[in-house]
Structure formats: structure tokens, C-alpha cells
Amino acid sequence: MAKKKKAWSGRFDGQIDAFVEEFTASIPYDVLLYRHDIEGSIAHARMLGKQKIIPQGEANRIAAALAAIREDIEAGKISFDLSQEDVHMAVEQFLTRRLGKIGGKLHTGRSRNDQVALDLRLYLRDSIDDIVLLIAKVKEAILARAEEVFGVVMPGYTHMQRAQPVLFSHHLLAYHEMFSRDQDRFRDARRRANVSPLGAGALAGTTFPVDREFVARELGMEGVCENSIDAVSDRDFAADFLYASAVTMMHLSRLSEEMVYWSSAEFGFLSLPDALCTGSSIMPQKKNPDVPELIRGKTGRTYGNLVNLLTVMKGLPLAYNRDMQEDKEAVFDSARTVKESLIGAALLLRGMTVNEERMRAACDDGFLTATDLSDYLARKGIPFRRAHEIAGKIVRYCEKSGKRLKDLSLREFRSFSRKIGEDVRDFVSLTNSVRMRNVRGGTGPRRVKSRLEALKKP
Ligand code: ARG
């Protein structure tokens, strides 16, 4: 089979080895960049025309043909093949097929090195916009549920042991805070990615009188990279994105883990809707929480993607090295994983049924208000360390006699300290325990309510 001519074949004798062609090609995955590649090329072509680097009429024809190529790709009318090596060469080939010699003028004053850096930046910008919106959906779902279950008390945990009662809304809103910071991290990554490397050429800049700022403006970018070597060498902006993705997945994974065990028979705090679960092929009674399990499981690959890129970049001499072609799959994979996981999380949050009784029942034993008992004693003037010890003894007494704090008589309480009065029982009630934590950021209902209201404002 006759091989197609490569764009760089001028200085080469004979054909490329078939294995090497396949080994070096990025087209099997970088086709995902075709829209961004075309967007960048249209801006570049307009600039070439405006600067009279190529005739304006030809620039216009190139821009129009590129737009038509985009439509054809979208309509499935043209397809890519391995010999094209990468998406950049493929698009250029489609262009020359349409325009002949004129198509060959597009690459004036540009290199694939600055081109690929631009494409990845544009891709990340789009992905980040999608992700920030999807996080907003998750946050909306959290707010809606937090409002709906306002007043429901559950055990808060440390070391996975029942610790202190908290409002379930407060627990949910903790995730809201995390996801807001995740959005910030993505926006921050976007800001750094949204700078144009075009004009850097292969690494040293270009001899043509290009207008770099014009290209950046056309693309809605914030500015241009100030150093041509940096522009084609670094992928820190992609690492920023991978880090933001990894952290978001970490948060989603923790939420998922809670959904998994809260929906178990042992906890029964939640049940997940049938539509989001699957059955077992052998155990007829099973309803498995696959969606949160997979979100939890997919977190691993996003950590891997971050370490992957950091490792690819580590020790690379400036400027472009072919190693950097390996940046793409990590980025594509994390982008897809985060998006899918956010969609799944929003569905789970909206669909879950909250079992208020089970949450409250779990608060009933386990001495969740033992801290309040020591606070009570400290308020009566007993030094906190001593108060803590007395409360500990009371808990031990309860455990031995199979009683809960609220079952103790005043006499029993007073056998541990004469300072204990009739008001102790109210003080150590669940409702009071939560209500008294009226500190900013605490689980006190008034505080939680006002945070809820504040978060609801756009
Ligand atoms: N496919 C390449 C990549 O993804 C494009 C840049 C190629 N540059 C080069 N000098 N071979 O990195």
C-alpha cells in the first residue's frame, strides 16, 4: 500500500517504519482537540491576513474552509487516519485537500509546538467551564437537601465512632464548602491556562511580524506568554487542572463513601433510589450502591493522572520534547472522570431518601452528649480537666449498668458531684447539645440556618 507523504518528509529518505508510525501517533486520542485546533487556526489565519503576512483574501478563504471542515467532522463526513500523525496535521491536510497550495500557508509563523500548547489551553478552558457548572449543580442539590432536612439530628463521628450530635444539614453543608473551594481551584487554573502561547513558534519566536495580542483577543484569552521558551516548554497549567480534579474527586469520594455505608443495613441513615443501584447476579436480596462505589473507585485514576504528568515533566530539558505528547490522555481522562462523577453525585444527592428516625436513634445510645456533661460541670466552676474525668466516670457507670445518660436519676448524677442540679438532664439532651453550639461555623441551628440563607444567595 502506498504510504501518504508526511508534512515533514522533505529531509527524509524513504518511508517511516510502520511500528514507529503507530508508536508516535497521537491522533487516536488527540482528535478530541479538533474543535480547539480549528478555533486556534482560524484566529491565527485572521491574524496572518490582517498583518499582510499572507493576502487577506487567502486568509479569509482559509478561515472559511476551517469552519467548513469543523462542520464536516461534526457531521461525520470526514474521518481521521493514523498516517496523519496528530490532529494538527490532520486538520491541515483537510485544508490543503480543499484549498490546494493556499492551505499550506496556514502554518506560516507557527509551529506545532506553540499550536499544541494553545489547543490544550483552549481545551482546558472549556472543560473547566463545564466542570464549574457541574459543581454548581452538586452544590444546588446539597443546599436543597440541607434545607429540606433542617432540624434532623444525627451523630457526628470522629474515628468513625459516634462523637457529638450534629444537624444533618450541617454535615451536608460541609461538602458545600469543599465544593466551593474546588470551584475556586478550577477558576484559578483557568486563569493561568487562559494565556496564548502562539507566536512562540518552535521555541525562539518567529521572524514574521505576527500580532500575538490580536490572536489572544480573538480567542478571548487574557494575554500572551511572555517567554517563547516557557510558552512551549511548560505544562504546569495542565498540572493545575489535574490537581484541582484530584481534589474534587477526593471530596466526591468521601461523600460517596458515606453514601455507601449510610445506605447499609447496619446504618440505614439513607436509602438510594433503585434507578441508581444495581442487583447481584447471585444474591436476590442485594441492592448495590454502584454509583458512589464507582465515584470512589475512579478517584484513583485522577490521582494517577496527576502523578503521571508530573513525572513526564520532571527532568525534561527545555524546550519542547516529544515526551510532552503524553500530557493529553491524563488531561482527557481526568476531565471526563470528574464530569461523570459530578453528574452521578448530583443524582445521588437528589435521589437519596433520608431516614430521620434511624439517625436520631443512633444518637440515643453512645453517650453523644458526654462532652455537654463535662461542659455542664465546668460551667458550675469545676476545672475542665476534672469535669472531663467526672463525666468519664458517669459514662462508665452507665455502661456498666446498661443505662443511657438520660436514664440516670438526679441521685445517681449527684453521687458523682454535688454540683450537679436538676437542670442537668435538659442540658445533656440532644436538642440542647446542638442548640448550645451557637458559635460561628458550629452546628447550632441558628448558625446553620444563617449559613444556609447566605449560601442560597447567588
Ligand atoms: N502531537 C504532538 C504533541 O502532542 C504535537 C507537537 C509535535 N511537535 C513536534 N515537534 N513533533 O505533543
Side-chain angles (χ1 to χ4, degrees):
M1 187 181 88
K3 289 263 171 151
K4 291 182 196 120
K5 204 166 146 245
K6 300 281 182 196
W8 38 256
S9 61
R11 61 103 57 228
F12 282 80
D13 254 349
Q15 296 286 354
I16 187 172
D17 179 272
F19 166 78
V20 174
E21 176 169 89
E22 202 174 326
F23 186 67
T24 54
S26 52
I27 197 144
Y29 46 85
D30 70 11
V31 284
L32 270 185
L33 292 175
Y34 80 85
R35 256 184 298 121
H36 306 96
D37 193 72
I38 290 175
E39 191 188 352
S41 288
I42 291 177
H44 181 67
R46 289 209 180 110
M47 182 281 292
L48 292 175
K50 178 186 85 77
Q51 296 295 92
K52 305 199 168 46
I53 298 170
I54 65 173
Q56 182 70 60
E58 292 182 357
N60 294 344
R61 287 185 61 194
I62 292 176
L66 285 167
I69 290 168
R70 180 168 51 204
E71 274 173 33
D72 281 0
I73 298 174
E74 247 132 56
K77 287 196 200 142
I78 29 184
S79 50
F80 298 86
D81 79 82
L82 204 63
S83 74
Q84 291 167 322
E85 191 177 320
D86 60 26
V87 68
H88 325 291
M89 307 250 248
V91 170
E92 198 178 314
Q93 203 182 86
F94 299 145
L95 187 69
T96 356
R97 265 188 225 155
R98 273 170 207 247
L99 300 183
K101 283 202 308 295
I102 296 174
K105 295 194 177 181
L106 169 65
H107 211 49
T108 316
R110 190 176 71 170
S111 152
R112 267 188 298 159
N113 296 350
D114 53 354
Q115 185 180 1
V116 72
L118 174 73
D119 292 5
L120 195 61
R121 285 168 183 270
L122 293 175
Y123 173 87
L124 284 178
R125 196 173 72 171
D126 275 1
S127 300
I128 289 172
D129 290 344
D130 291 347
I131 290 170
V132 168
L133 271 179
L134 289 169
I135 298 178
K137 298 269 176 231
V138 169
K139 286 169 60 184
E140 267 169 47
I142 291 175
L143 270 187
R145 299 312 303 256
E147 192 160 37
E148 175 195 319
V149 299
F150 186 76
V152 173
V153 179
M154 68 178 286
Y157 295 81
T158 66
H159 313 266
M160 254 192 103
Q161 310 288 323
R162 289 174 191 159
Q164 292 174 347
V166 294
L167 289 186
F168 182 45
S169 307
H170 192 51
H171 189 107
L172 284 175
L173 290 182
Y175 285 107
H176 196 284
E177 304 286 343
M178 297 178 216
F179 291 128
S180 295
R181 290 193 298 277
D182 291 337
Q183 286 180 309
D184 278 353
R185 259 182 289 276
F186 277 112
R187 290 191 188 110
D188 205 40
R190 185 192 199 278
R191 190 172 50 77
R192 275 190 294 274
N194 199 22
V195 177
S196 173
L198 274 202
L203 78 162
T206 170
T207 57
F208 292 97
V210 295
D211 184 344
R212 300 191 58 203
E213 291 75 16
F214 172 85
V215 174
R217 272 198 308 278
E218 284 283 290
L219 295 169
M221 298 182 107
E222 291 302 323
V224 301
C225 301
E226 292 295 348
N227 180 302
S228 62
I229 298 179
D230 173 46
V232 293
S233 296
D234 211 350
R235 293 291 183 267
D236 55 355
F237 62 90
D240 286 345
F241 172 80
L242 294 178
Y243 173 67
S245 301
V247 175
T248 302
M249 288 302 293
M250 170 181 77
H251 291 151
L252 286 171
S253 170
R254 297 184 76 173
L255 174 63
S256 299
E257 164 67 8
E258 296 197 318
M259 289 181 168
V260 169
Y261 75 80
W262 283 349
S263 62
S264 70
E266 283 73 9
F267 272 82
F269 288 2
L270 297 179
S271 64
L272 302 178
D274 283 2
L276 302 183
C277 295
T278 67
S280 156
S281 53
I282 173 161
M283 297 164 283
Q285 85 283 12
K286 292 286 292 286
K287 181 173 132 185
N288 296 328
D290 306 64
V291 177
E293 287 176 295
L294 277 168
I295 295 174
R296 195 176 58 184
K298 283 174 187 287
T299 304
R301 61 202 294 157
T302 65
Y303 293 6
N305 291 333
L306 173 61
V307 175
N308 178 356
L309 181 66
L310 291 174
T311 312
V312 166
M313 298 306 292
K314 172 190 172 297
L316 275 192
L318 308 185
Y320 178 84
N321 300 272
R322 191 59 176 264
D323 314 45
M324 288 156 70
Q325 180 165 292
E326 289 292 311
D327 57 4
K328 278 171 273 301
E329 283 169 294
V331 163
F332 297 158
D333 185 75
S334 281
R336 196 192 60 219
T337 305
V338 177
K339 286 192 221 174
E340 288 175 354
S341 302
L342 287 165
I343 293 171
L347 284 172
L348 287 163
L349 284 160
R350 289 190 187 286
M352 68 190 186
T353 313
V354 179
N355 192 335
E356 185 176 342
E357 290 72 44
R358 286 294 293 258
M359 287 187 175
R360 184 166 269 278
C363 292
D364 243 8
D365 37 58
F367 312 107
L368 261 78
T369 57
T371 316
D372 303 281
L373 184 55
S374 36
D375 285 0
Y376 173 88
L377 294 163
R379 281 164 180 262
K380 300 273 172 182
I382 302 175
F384 184 77
R385 282 292 157 227
R386 173 82 189 120
H388 183 279
E389 196 187 327
I390 298 172
K393 287 194 169 131
I394 298 177
V395 167
R396 206 167 63 207
Y397 169 81
C398 285
E399 260 175 349
K400 275 204 197 124
S401 48
K403 291 180 172 171
R404 296 169 298 182
L405 284 178
K406 66 176 179 194
D407 301 329
L408 296 186
S409 67
L410 187 57
R411 270 188 59 165
E412 284 172 301
F413 268 122
R414 285 173 66 86
S415 68
F416 293 91
S417 166
R418 309 305 294 166
K419 301 249 165 132
I420 299 182
E422 190 57 67
D423 54 347
V424 70
R425 231 146 328 154
D426 267 354
F427 201 90
V428 300
S429 72
L430 284 183
T431 329
N432 190 58
S433 168
V434 172
R435 194 181 60 223
M436 293 284 286
R437 284 182 168 69
N438 191 29
V439 61
R440 180 169 180 182
T443 196
R446 278 175 43 212
R447 297 295 186 161
V448 175
K449 188 85 190 164
S450 72
R451 187 66 187 144
L452 243 173
E453 293 308 321
L455 292 173
K456 268 165 61 185
K457 295 198 186 97

